[in-house]
Amino acid sequence: MLKETPGERDVTLADLRKTLPVGSVNYVIDRLIEELSILKPNQVAIQTQLGDFDHKTMLKQFDLWGERIIHPVRKALGPRYVQAAE
């Protein structure tokens, strides 16, 4: 059986974590606002599972997105993003 080893050009988990909006609710909000205001994308796809989370944890993440993250991000980015999301 082959042993999986990182290649020379593979991104480390530490580097990946620096670029992803992963962390507290406030950190995720700040990172999303920063990135979306710079990139100004027409669409955004968010993957909420990185790893193997149990069902209860995933439901908690969905609740956090819906109750505490999406609204402040929309409010900060203005009408362009609110209209696109509706």
Side-chain angles (χ1 to χ4, degrees), residues 26-81:
N26 289 336
Y27 180 77
V28 170
I29 291 168
D30 292 344
R31 289 285 296 158
L32 285 173
I33 291 169
E34 177 184 5
E35 289 185 20
L36 295 174
S37 63
I38 292 168
L39 299 173
K40 298 178 179 24
N42 290 326
Q43 297 179 3
V44 177
I46 303 290
Q47 179 179 352
T48 60
Q49 183 172 351
L50 188 62
D52 188 19
F53 293 127
D54 59 72
H55 186 72
K56 183 177 178 181
T57 301
M58 288 307 302
L59 291 176
K60 182 179 177 184
Q61 285 187 20
F62 291 141
D63 286 343
L64 288 173
W65 277 92
E67 296 171 4
R68 298 184 50 201
I69 296 174
I70 293 172
H71 179 71
V73 171
R74 282 182 175 173
K75 185 176 179 182
L77 295 175
R80 175 178 178 234
Y81 285 92

